[in-house]
Amino acid sequence: DAKHPRRREPLPPPPDLLEYTAGFTEKDYDVSVETMVRALQSVDLDSGPGLDGCYFTHLRCLLDGALEPYTEFVNLKHRCCLPEWFYLVYVSIRLVGLNKLDPRDVPASDMDYRPVGIGFASRRLDTRALFVRAAPLILDACGPTQFCGRKSGGTGLLLALRAMLDANPTFVVAKLDIKNAYNSVSRPAILRRVRSTPALRRYYPFFYALLRPKSYVGVGSGFKVVPASFLSEDGTQQGAVEGGPLFHLAVADSNFDSNAELFSSGGALIAGSDDTLLIGPPDLVRAVIPHHSSRVASVGLELQASKTRCYTLPENRTNPEYLRLIEDFPAGSLSDGQAIY
C-alpha cells in the first residue's frame, strides 16, 4: 500500500475534445497502419501478459489481414471516442515485483523490490505506436537535462558527467534519490505540463483518459490473480509505455530551474529518469539540494536526504568546501561509474 498512495489532489474537469484538437487534422495524431506494423514487429514476444492473459504473440495474428480495422479501433481510443468505463478497464494492471539488486550480491532478506504494473498487451501496443510520434515531442519538452529516452542516453549521461569533472576538477556531484518516484508524482501536475506545452496539447485528452481512473490492480498471474488492497490512483504506472515520459514531463520544470541555478557557476543538472545528478562547486551544490527538494515537492515528490550521495575526484577530497558538503550528505566513490548511475 505504501508504494501506491491515494490521490492527493483532484484532477481538473474532463477536457473539451474540440478545444484540444482545434487546428489539428487526424493525420496529426492518428496512428497509421504502417506504424502499427512496425510496432508489432518491434515488441518483445517474451513479455508477460496483462490481466487478460493475452501475449504479444497473440496480437501478431493481426498481421494476417486484421490490422487495418484494429488500427481504426486504436485511433478511436486515442481520440477518446469510447465510453469512460472502457478506459477504467484499459488501464488496469497486474502487479509484479522487480528486484532492483542482484541476488548474487545481497542476501534474500535485503532484496529491494520495485512494483511494476503489467498492462494489457493491446494497451502496450497501442501506446507504443502512438509514442512513435509523441516521444520526440516529449523529449523536446524535457530539454537537454533529461537523458532517459534518448539514443544511448545512459552512456551520454556518463560522458557528460565525466567531461564536466575533467574540465572542473574541484566540482562535486550530488546524486539525489526521489522516494517512490513513479507512483508518487502528481497526476494533475502531469496534466498541467501537457496542457501548457503547445506541441503536446493534441494528446491531452488521451493522457487525461489514462490518468483519470482509479484503476484496478491485480496481484499474481494466471488463475491465481487476486485483487490488491489498493488502487492505482496517483503517479504513473511503472512498466507502462507512457509512464516514464509523463514522469519526465512532470519534473522537467524543476530540473530546468535547478539547472539554471547551477549553470550560473558553470555547473549543471543532468537526469536519467528519476536519477538526478547536481554538478557544480561544493557550496553551490549544497545550497541547491534543498531548493530542488522544494521544487519537486510541488509535483508531489519527496527527496530522500538519507540516500543522497556526494562524489568528487580523488584529488578534491580534502577540499574544505567538499568536507562541509559531506557533513550533511554522505560521500560516495567515483571508482566505478555505476556508483553514480
Side-chain angles (χ1 to χ4, degrees):
D1 289 23
K3 288 284 188 180
H4 292 81
R6 293 184 179 276
R7 188 171 298 174
R8 294 152 291 176
E9 180 184 356
L11 264 60
D16 179 348
L17 295 182
L18 293 178
E19 176 187 353
Y20 290 93
T21 56
F24 296 107
T25 66
E26 290 182 355
K27 290 184 179 180
D28 290 320
Y29 48 81
D30 274 1
V31 170
S32 67
V33 174
E34 292 75 17
T35 299
M36 289 300 300
V37 170
R38 291 198 298 272
L40 265 174
Q41 291 174 338
S42 67
V43 296
D44 181 1
L45 297 181
D46 294 327
S47 294
L51 289 167
D52 60 350
C54 181
Y55 288 82
F56 282 126
T57 306
H58 300 139
L59 294 178
R60 281 283 180 92
C61 69
L62 293 169
L63 293 170
D64 298 327
L67 197 56
E68 186 169 341
Y70 181 78
T71 302
E72 292 178 3
F73 181 45
V74 169
N75 287 324
L76 289 175
K77 300 175 193 178
H78 291 165
R79 294 184 216 150
C80 298
C81 296
L82 303 178
E84 185 179 334
W85 61 261
F86 171 84
Y87 297 96
L88 176 64
V89 176
Y90 190 55
V91 297
S92 58
I93 56 172
R94 180 173 67 87
L95 200 65
V96 298
L98 176 67
N99 182 17
K100 297 168 62 177
L101 302 175
D102 191 327
R104 294 171 296 184
D105 297 336
V106 294
S109 59
D110 293 335
M111 287 292 98
D112 185 6
Y113 288 98
R114 173 177 295 177
V116 175
I118 302 178
F120 297 128
S122 57
R123 173 188 168 194
R124 285 176 276 159
L125 176 64
D126 300 348
T127 47
R128 178 185 286 262
L130 179 75
F131 269 71
V132 168
R133 182 176 292 164
L137 300 176
I138 292 177
L139 280 175
D140 286 346
C142 293
T145 59
Q146 183 57 254
F147 281 74
C148 186
R150 301 184 187 278
K151 188 175 182 180
S152 302
T155 300
L157 184 146
L158 287 175
L159 289 174
L161 170 63
R162 192 74 227 191
M164 290 197 70
L165 289 178
D166 286 344
N168 303 277
T170 61
F171 276 11
V172 301
V173 181
K175 182 178 184 294
L176 310 182
D177 185 86
I178 301 176
K179 183 178 180 180
N180 196 26
Y182 276 59
N183 291 323
S184 298
V185 65
S186 163
R187 291 187 181 184
I190 294 171
L191 292 171
R192 285 192 291 269
R193 190 59 165 80
V194 173
R195 191 173 56 213
S196 66
T197 306
L200 296 174
R201 282 178 62 85
R202 75 190 87 167
Y203 301 113
Y204 181 82
F206 180 61
F207 291 155
Y208 185 95
L210 295 180
L211 297 175
R212 180 181 188 179
K214 298 179 179 180
S215 54
Y216 173 86
V217 178
V219 180
S221 61
F223 294 107
K224 297 181 180 179
V225 172
V226 296
S229 60
F230 50 85
L231 301 174
S232 177
E233 299 188 29
D234 218 352
T236 63
Q237 292 176 349
Q238 193 157 10
V241 172
E242 74 281 358
L246 293 184
F247 174 84
H248 304 158
L249 268 178
V251 299
D253 288 337
S254 300
N255 289 349
F256 293 160
D257 290 345
S258 294
N259 181 64
E261 197 173 354
L262 292 162
F263 187 77
S264 64
S265 294
L269 176 150
I270 55 178
S273 194
D274 58 331
D275 292 319
T276 307
L277 306 180
L278 307 182
I279 311 163
D283 281 351
L284 178 59
V285 168
R286 188 167 179 260
V288 172
I289 291 174
H291 297 172
H292 193 69
S293 179
S294 297
R295 287 166 183 144
V296 297
S298 69
V299 295
L301 298 172
E302 177 187 351
L303 286 188
Q304 296 192 94
S306 63
K307 291 190 176 182
T308 297
R309 291 294 181 270
C310 299
Y311 307 87
T312 194
L313 297 176
E315 59 268 29
N316 194 43
R317 289 177 184 162
T318 57
N319 182 334
E321 289 187 18
Y322 178 68
L323 294 176
R324 283 198 298 271
L325 175 66
I326 62 176
E327 287 177 2
D328 296 327
F329 305 103
S333 169
L334 272 180
S335 60
D336 179 356
Q338 289 191 356
I340 294 178
Y341 182 72

